[in-house]
């Protein structure tokens, strides 16, 4: 079990006293026993093979008892199946749990753990602690290893009888240790051992024990009705059996007197599963749990698994065909064979993959990093980048981070802080991958990786990461390493690498500009945008600043729904003439993200669609002349438009358009107003408040404005002039990115103006069909007029 320091992040779920054994960490080399691929023909067993494991109070099926192989100290021994007259075993002694243990047991089983499958993680961690402790003590007491040299963990299942047996060759327990550790909940032998190691003068080795809380053993009752623990300590000549049931207030301890059930050293723990949990007795289920939680435990873990190999066997000839072959002397007889699969049971090593994060980064190849990434996260594409690092000091942990090649599927992934992308390990034991932003902010939730620490502050069940100063420091270092990894992609000689990254994760970084002000300096250089001088290829803010004119003081941008809309907006006209570059913000999040940044390298971001745009070329004398010439016209236009605009001003940003409608300094821009109106759950009551003031700017050099100026001076009440102002405002509303309040009315005005402009251009009313139907009446009227004139002349 993992030992928690005062400020750790990784204590997990075993309490002092709940552990059935303890262990200590020492970096002592170990040997992994080999396993034969096919069984021998002799009936041979190891004490923790299927047959002997069955002796550890676990019922075994006849199929498993038929097994033919097992290992003990690297050698095989003949099974002694002969029955022996054993002495009558002494009666079992009964012990009561301490202090309301039944209620505490109920809390552990029903409240402490949220997931039943963690029982295997806890019990394997207990076994690992027992092996660690033995390995540590054997340095000074080598006689402890005399019975069994191999240090490993073996798991055997019996799906017919619903049992799971976990066997280790660790330190084992004496009678008194059984009483102290398994009879007293939350008293951890691991914690006691760690305390002794610290107090010892020879405690130079680092502890690698996992548990401290002492409740890990009792997780067995999550899935079991009854638990039997048979244990043998090298310090004792006797083997003892502890037995307890769920919801019971007592347990029993007895001496094991059956020679066939004796083990050289260690502990054999048998779980009798509940009816609803017998699915855990399937070998495939156990293998999956071991690979998920205990893949990187430092000791080999074997499971009892059915295997098979193919072989050729002879097939008897068909009598009819055999007779025919005998008659044909020329035909050579060939023996007929077929391929069959021979089934057998044997131990299979599960945790053969070693954690590469414990290795020196200089010794790990890119192929090894990619292979580990694919296996761990079930990916099929190589990552874009990886970062392998170790942090030391106040917080020590090892980590490998990856940038996936593709973004996660689903539109809500960017908004979901809970991901399965960071796998947290404590002493190489998997704890959880379900975090709510503790280790990474949600804008970096696409980062995948593993984090392995020796002292993380977890709750007693190991499932919840406790908020603490250490967690905040750890998060800060992980975020910093993630930024360094992304920056490495951006500085790659292959520009396509970062283009691919930006396509997948650009919105995540923009979200970071909004949510993480502390990292603005790291985020800003990673941003990419299109611009008026780079419409086909995105540029960075650094590239924009390098291309700025010497007299340019600000970074200009315009927000629109597409590059095409942005480049055709009237706000760009004067800036294009002056060769000033303008960034195009075409993502809905761009404008908000840049507003949070405010500036970059002491250059302020300026929205060219807002009032009081300063392009650095103000001519006060020219402005004074223009105000004298068009000042009253501006007032006339404002009076006509009324509350639709806050004011009417002469523009310095237009060259070819007659007018434009700009946003005020405060409130939403045209683009933001459009986005907020499109929100399905937006607050419509705030639209009027946030729209802000609009300023109507006119271009005094445009013919339409000059004509309106003349119309005001000649007849300010002319209906055609007033209607032209209304149409001019509506046109500016659309061209500036705003949404007209009455599109139908705007369409009617446009049709009316088109009718006036096109009247008589391609045909005249005299040629109309109506005029051609009355030619005779016209001639008669003219003849009558002529006759009348002649009569007058005669008079």
């Amino acid at each position: 079990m993992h030992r928690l320091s005062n400020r750790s992040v990784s204590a997990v779920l075993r309490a002092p006293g709940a552990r059935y054994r303890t262990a200590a960490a020492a970096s002592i080399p170990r040997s992994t026993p080999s396993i034969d691929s096919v069984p021998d023909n002799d009936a041979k067993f190891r004490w923790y093979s299927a047959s002997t494991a069955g002796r550890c109070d676990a019922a075994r099926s006849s199929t498993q008892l038929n097994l033919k192989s097992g290992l003990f100290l690297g050698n095989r021994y003949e099974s002694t199946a002969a029955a022996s007259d054993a002495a009558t075993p002494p009666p079992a002694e009964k012990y009561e749990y301490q202090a309301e243990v039944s209620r505490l047991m109920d809390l552990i089983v029903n409240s402490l753990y949220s997931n039943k499958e963690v029982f295997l993680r806890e019990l394997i961690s207990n076994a690992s602690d027992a092996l660690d402790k033995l390995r540590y003590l054997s340095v000074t007491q080598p006689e402890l290893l005399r019975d069994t040299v191999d240090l490993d963990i073996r798991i055997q299942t019996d799906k017919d009888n619903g049992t799971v047996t976990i066997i280790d060759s660790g330190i084992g327990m004496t009678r008194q240790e059984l009483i102290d550790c398994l009879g007293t909940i939350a008293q951890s032998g691991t914690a006691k051992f760690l305390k002794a190691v610290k107090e010892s003068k020879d405690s130079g080795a680092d502890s690698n024990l996992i548990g401290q809380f002492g409740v890990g053993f009792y997780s067995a009752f999550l899935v079991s009705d009854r638990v039997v623990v048979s244990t043998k300590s090298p310090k004792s000549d006797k083997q003892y059996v502890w037995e307890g049931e769920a919801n019971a207030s007592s347990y029993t301890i007895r001496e094991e007197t059956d020679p066939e059930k004796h083990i050289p050293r260690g502990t054999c723990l048998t779980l009798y599963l509940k009816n609803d949990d017998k699915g855990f007795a399937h070998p495939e289920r156990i293998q999956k749990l071991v690979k998920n939680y205990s893949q990187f435990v430092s000791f080999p873990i074997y499971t009892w698994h059915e295997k098979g190999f193919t072989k050729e066997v002879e097939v008897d000839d068909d009598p009819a065909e055999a007779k025919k072959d005998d008659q044909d002397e020329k035909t050579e007889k060939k023996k007929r064979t077929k391929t069959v699969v021979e089934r057998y049971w044997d131990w299979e090593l599960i945790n053969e993959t070693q954690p590469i994060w414990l290795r020196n980064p200089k010794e790990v190849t890119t192929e090894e990093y990619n292979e580990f990434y694919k296996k761990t996260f079930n990916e099929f594409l190589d990552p874009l980048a990886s970062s392998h690092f170790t942090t030391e000091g106040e917080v020590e942990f090892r980590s490998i981070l990856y940038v996936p090649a593709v973004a996660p599927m689903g539109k809500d992934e960017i908004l979901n802080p809970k991901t399965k992308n960071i796998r947290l390990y404590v002493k190489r034991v998997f704890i959880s991958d379900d975090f709510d932003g503790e280790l990474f902010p949600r804008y970096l939730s696409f980062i995948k990786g593993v984090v392995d620490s020796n002292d993380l502050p977890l709750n007693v069940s190991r499932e919840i990461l406790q908020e603490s100063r250490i967690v905040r420091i750890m998060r800060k270092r992980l975020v910093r390493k993630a930024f360094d990894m992304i920056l490495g992609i951006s500085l790659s000689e292959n520009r396509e690498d970062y283009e691919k990254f930006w396509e997948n994760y650009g919105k995540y970084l923009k979200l970071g500009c909004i949510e993480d002000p502390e990292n603005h300096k790291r985020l800003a250089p990673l941003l990419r945008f299109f611009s008026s001088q780079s419409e086909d290829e995105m540029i960075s803010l650094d590239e924009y600043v390098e291309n700025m004119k010497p007299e340019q003081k600000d970074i200009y941008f315009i927000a629109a729904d597409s590059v095409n809309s942005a480049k055709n907006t009237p706000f760009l006209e004067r800036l294009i003439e002056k060769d000033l570059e303008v960034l195009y913000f075409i993502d809905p999040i761009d404008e908000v993200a840049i507003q949070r940044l405010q500036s970059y390298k002491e250059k302020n971001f300026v929205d060219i669609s807002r009032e009081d745009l300063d392009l650095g070329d103000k001519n006060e004398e020219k402005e004074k002349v223009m105000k004298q010439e068009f000042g009253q016209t501006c007032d006339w236009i404002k009076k006509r438009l009324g509350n639709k605009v806050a004011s009417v001003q002469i523009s310095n940003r237009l060259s070819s358009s007659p007018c434009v409608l700009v946003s005020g300094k405060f409130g939403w821009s045209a683009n933001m107003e459009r986005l907020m109106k499109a929100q399905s759950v937006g607050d419509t009551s705030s639209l009027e408040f946030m729209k802000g003031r609009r300023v109507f700017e006119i271009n005094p050099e445009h013919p339409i404005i000059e004509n309106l100026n003349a119309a005001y001076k000649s007849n300010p009440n002319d209906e055609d002039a007033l209607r032209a102002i209304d149409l001019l405002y509506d046109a500016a509303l659309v061209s500036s990115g705003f949404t007209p309040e009455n599109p139908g009315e705007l369409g009617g005005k446009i049709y009316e103006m088109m009718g006036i402009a096109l009247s008589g251009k391609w045909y005249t009313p005299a040629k109309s069909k109506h005029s051609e139907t009355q030619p005779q009446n016209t001639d008669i009227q003219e003849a009558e007029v002529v006759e009348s004139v002649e009569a007058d002349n005669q008079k």
Side-chain angles (χ1 to χ4, degrees):
M1 239 171 316
H2 171 55
R3 174 174 179 80
L4 289 178
S5 63
N6 291 335
R7 295 191 181 106
S8 326
V9 176
S10 105
V12 257
L13 187 45
R14 325 203 204 319
R19 310 185 50 77
Y20 63 84
R21 54 194 160 295
T22 54
S27 54
I28 300 176
R30 56 178 174 80
S31 60
T32 302
S34 60
I35 297 181
D36 296 341
S37 60
V38 296
D40 294 341
N41 294 327
D42 301 330
K44 300 174 182 178
F45 296 87
R46 181 179 177 169
W47 59 271
Y48 28 41
S49 70
S51 59
T52 347
R55 297 173 192 147
C56 298
D57 288 357
R60 295 292 174 254
S61 65
S62 58
T63 303
Q64 289 174 318
L65 291 177
N66 244 341
L67 307 178
K68 297 183 178 181
S69 76
L71 295 177
F72 178 51
L73 299 181
N75 300 319
R76 298 184 177 271
Y77 294 86
E78 297 293 339
S79 172
T80 57
S84 60
D85 295 334
T88 303
E93 299 181 29
K94 191 172 184 178
Y95 295 85
E96 294 292 330
Y97 287 110
Q98 293 184 4
E100 294 293 332
V101 75
S102 59
R103 291 193 60 188
L104 184 56
M105 181 82 75
D106 181 68
L107 287 174
I108 292 173
V109 173
N110 298 314
S111 302
L112 189 59
Y113 295 94
S114 61
N115 189 0
K116 285 185 175 183
E117 65 184 23
V118 300
F119 82 93
L120 190 64
R121 176 194 71 186
E122 300 294 306
L123 298 179
I124 290 177
S125 297
N126 286 349
S128 175
D129 281 356
L131 293 166
D132 252 328
K133 183 176 180 181
L134 176 64
R135 187 170 61 177
Y136 180 85
L137 295 176
S138 65
V139 176
T140 56
Q141 305 175 55
E143 65 275 7
L144 296 177
L145 293 175
R146 66 178 182 272
D147 294 326
T148 306
V149 178
D150 297 336
L151 301 179
D152 55 23
I153 303 169
R154 296 179 181 254
I155 306 173
Q156 188 172 14
T157 59
D158 183 354
K159 61 183 179 182
D160 295 332
N161 295 302
T163 62
V164 175
T165 302
I166 303 172
I167 313 156
D168 70 74
S169 54
I171 191 63
M173 287 177 282
T174 62
R175 179 189 185 89
Q176 188 58 42
E177 287 172 342
L178 276 176
I179 297 174
D180 293 341
C181 296
L182 302 194
T184 305
I185 294 181
Q187 177 174 322
S188 171
T190 298
K192 287 183 178 180
F193 183 75
L194 288 175
K195 183 178 180 181
V197 169
K198 288 183 177 180
E199 294 175 353
S200 173
K201 297 180 180 179
D202 302 327
S203 59
D206 293 333
S207 167
N208 196 28
L209 298 173
I210 302 169
Q212 179 183 8
F213 294 110
V215 295
F217 166 74
Y218 298 97
S219 65
F221 290 102
L222 290 170
V223 296
S224 308
D225 287 323
R226 182 164 65 101
V227 177
V228 177
V229 180
S230 182
T231 181
K232 170 71 168 60
S233 171
K235 300 177 182 179
S236 173
D237 295 333
K238 297 180 180 180
Q239 179 176 328
Y240 295 96
V241 178
W242 181 99
E243 185 170 347
E245 296 184 359
N247 302 321
S249 60
S250 62
Y251 60 94
T252 63
I253 295 178
R254 59 181 172 84
E255 181 184 344
E256 182 59 77
T257 58
D258 187 351
E260 293 187 357
K261 295 182 180 179
H262 282 174
I263 56 179
R265 183 194 65 236
T267 301
C268 172
L269 186 148
T270 302
L271 310 181
Y272 293 85
L273 301 176
K274 301 175 183 178
N275 290 332
D276 295 340
D277 298 311
K278 289 190 176 180
F280 288 107
H282 289 262
E284 294 79 10
R285 182 81 177 273
I286 292 296
Q287 283 189 347
K288 182 179 179 182
L289 294 180
V290 171
K291 289 182 178 180
N292 185 46
Y293 289 100
S294 306
Q295 174 79 2
F296 303 109
V297 169
S298 57
F299 297 96
I301 301 175
Y302 297 92
T303 60
W304 193 246
H305 200 70
E306 186 180 20
K307 299 182 179 181
F309 64 94
T310 60
K311 66 178 182 178
E312 298 288 332
V313 296
E314 294 184 8
V315 180
D316 295 337
D317 293 336
D318 185 55
E321 293 184 0
K323 184 177 180 180
K324 183 179 180 181
D325 291 341
D326 291 340
Q327 295 175 356
D328 190 356
E329 298 179 355
K330 297 181 180 180
T331 303
E332 294 184 4
K333 292 185 178 181
K334 293 183 179 180
K335 293 183 179 180
R336 297 176 180 270
T337 62
K338 68 176 181 179
T339 302
V340 296
V341 179
E342 187 78 14
R343 296 287 181 180
Y344 67 99
W345 288 77
D346 201 355
W347 295 110
E348 181 177 353
L349 181 64
I350 299 302
N351 60 335
E352 55 188 350
T353 303
Q354 296 301 317
I356 65 173
W357 62 78
L358 298 181
R359 297 166 56 185
N360 189 334
K362 297 179 181 179
E363 300 174 356
V364 185
T365 64
T366 303
E367 291 73 18
E368 288 177 310
Y369 282 126
N370 295 346
E371 188 65 23
F372 175 78
Y373 167 76
K374 292 177 182 178
K375 286 185 177 180
T376 305
F377 299 101
N378 295 321
E379 295 284 348
F380 60 93
L381 294 176
D382 291 337
L384 291 179
S386 63
S387 177
H388 182 187
F389 59 93
T390 301
T391 62
E392 297 179 352
E394 187 175 3
V395 179
E396 297 183 4
F397 63 92
R398 297 172 180 266
S399 179
I400 301 179
L401 302 179
Y402 295 94
V403 176
V406 293
M409 301 298 292
K411 60 181 180 181
D412 297 329
E413 286 295 331
I414 191 173
L415 301 177
N416 183 15
K418 289 189 176 183
T419 65
K420 302 289 185 179
N421 292 344
I422 300 298
R423 294 177 61 86
L424 176 63
Y425 291 81
V426 173
K427 299 286 187 172
R428 300 180 301 279
V429 175
F430 174 67
I431 301 302
S432 178
D433 58 1
D434 187 9
F435 299 106
D436 191 6
E438 291 94 339
L439 295 179
F440 269 99
R442 70 169 180 169
Y443 70 90
L444 289 177
S445 60
F446 62 90
I447 298 290
K448 294 186 178 184
V450 296
V451 178
D452 185 11
S453 176
N454 294 340
D455 52 353
L456 295 178
L458 303 176
N459 70 343
V460 70
S461 67
R462 302 207 227 185
E463 297 178 357
I464 302 174
L465 191 63
Q466 302 294 320
E467 180 61 31
S468 69
R469 179 169 172 268
I470 289 182
V471 176
R472 291 192 294 270
I473 295 174
M474 187 174 180
R475 170 188 167 120
K476 185 179 295 185
R477 294 183 181 179
L478 287 171
V479 169
R480 189 179 304 166
K481 289 295 183 179
F483 278 127
D484 292 342
M485 181 171 52
I486 297 172
L487 183 62
I489 303 176
S490 67
L491 298 177
S492 172
E493 296 180 357
N494 187 0
R495 192 181 180 99
E496 294 180 357
D497 290 343
Y498 195 74
E499 290 177 356
K500 185 177 181 180
F501 168 84
W502 184 257
E503 181 182 356
N504 287 301
Y505 307 111
K507 292 182 179 180
Y508 288 82
L509 299 187
K510 295 172 185 176
L511 179 64
C513 295
I514 300 173
E515 296 186 340
D516 193 359
E518 295 181 359
N519 285 304
H520 277 175
K521 291 184 178 180
R522 293 186 175 91
L523 283 163
L526 302 175
L527 302 179
R528 297 292 185 271
F529 304 100
F530 292 107
S531 74
S532 58
Q533 297 181 6
S534 181
E535 298 178 1
D536 299 324
E537 188 175 298
M538 288 187 168
I539 63 171
S540 66
L541 295 179
D542 288 321
E543 291 173 315
Y544 180 94
V545 173
E546 290 177 4
N547 296 333
M548 288 176 61
K549 301 296 181 183
E551 68 277 5
Q552 185 178 345
K553 299 179 181 180
D554 302 316
I555 300 174
Y556 300 114
F557 70 88
I558 180 68
D561 58 352
S562 66
V563 172
N564 190 52
S565 299
K567 71 179 183 180
N568 290 313
T569 182
F571 299 106
L572 281 175
E573 293 174 358
R574 184 58 60 84
L575 286 93
I576 296 298
E577 286 184 356
K578 294 176 64 65
D579 196 27
L580 296 176
E581 189 172 16
V582 180
L583 297 176
Y584 294 160
F585 292 169
I586 58 177
D587 277 342
I589 197 175
D590 287 349
E591 188 174 357
V592 181
I594 290 300
Q595 287 174 354
R596 295 299 179 91
L597 285 181
Q598 297 183 349
S599 64
Y600 182 71
K601 291 187 175 180
E602 300 181 355
K603 306 289 184 181
N604 294 325
F605 290 98
V606 174
D607 185 352
I608 64 172
S609 68
R610 294 188 180 272
E611 65 175 325
D612 295 338
L613 177 65
D614 183 10
L615 299 180
D617 59 349
K618 283 189 176 182
N619 189 333
E620 295 181 359
E621 191 173 326
K622 181 180 179 181
E623 288 182 1
K624 186 176 181 181
V625 173
M626 288 296 180
K627 285 182 179 180
Q628 290 178 352
E629 177 68 20
F630 292 90
Q632 294 181 343
T633 302
C634 291
D635 296 337
W636 174 55
I637 296 174
K638 171 64 174 75
K639 182 179 179 180
R640 175 64 179 176
L641 297 178
N643 293 330
K644 293 181 179 179
V645 298
S647 62
V648 178
Q649 300 176 1
I650 297 174
S651 178
N652 66 336
R653 75 185 84 210
L654 299 176
S655 61
S656 59
S657 298
C659 59
V660 72
L661 198 62
V662 302
S663 303
K665 292 182 178 180
F666 307 100
W668 290 333
S669 65
N671 181 68
M672 186 58 63
E673 184 178 324
R674 174 180 59 82
L675 293 174
M676 296 308 295
K677 285 183 178 180
Q679 297 297 316
S680 58
V681 291
D683 183 9
T684 56
S685 62
S686 65
L687 290 177
E688 290 297 324
F689 175 75
M690 291 300 297
K691 279 199 304 186
R693 61 198 300 268
R694 298 174 181 174
V695 178
F696 190 64
E697 292 188 359
I698 60 174
N699 180 9
E701 299 176 354
H702 196 278
I704 293 179
I705 302 302
E706 291 176 348
N707 286 331
L708 286 178
N709 187 42
Y712 166 72
K713 292 179 179 180
S714 61
N715 184 8
N717 297 320
D718 184 89
E719 287 297 326
D720 290 338
L722 296 176
R723 287 159 62 193
I725 292 176
D726 294 339
L727 184 59
L728 201 63
Y729 169 79
D730 290 334
L733 199 69
V734 175
S735 64
S736 302
F738 294 97
T739 303
E741 298 177 358
N742 193 338
E745 182 180 352
L746 172 60
K749 294 177 182 178
I750 294 175
Y751 299 149
E752 182 180 358
M753 296 300 293
M754 288 178 65
I756 296 174
L758 299 179
S759 178
K761 186 172 183 179
W762 293 289
Y763 69 93
T764 59
K767 296 181 181 179
S768 64
K769 184 177 181 181
H770 178 72
S771 61
E772 292 176 354
T773 57
Q774 300 176 339
Q776 296 179 354
N777 294 338
T778 303
D779 295 341
I780 293 173
Q781 290 177 359
E782 291 178 354
E784 290 177 354
V785 172
V786 171
E787 291 175 356
S788 175
V789 172
E790 290 178 352
D792 292 338
N793 292 336
Q794 290 176 357
K795 292 178 182 180

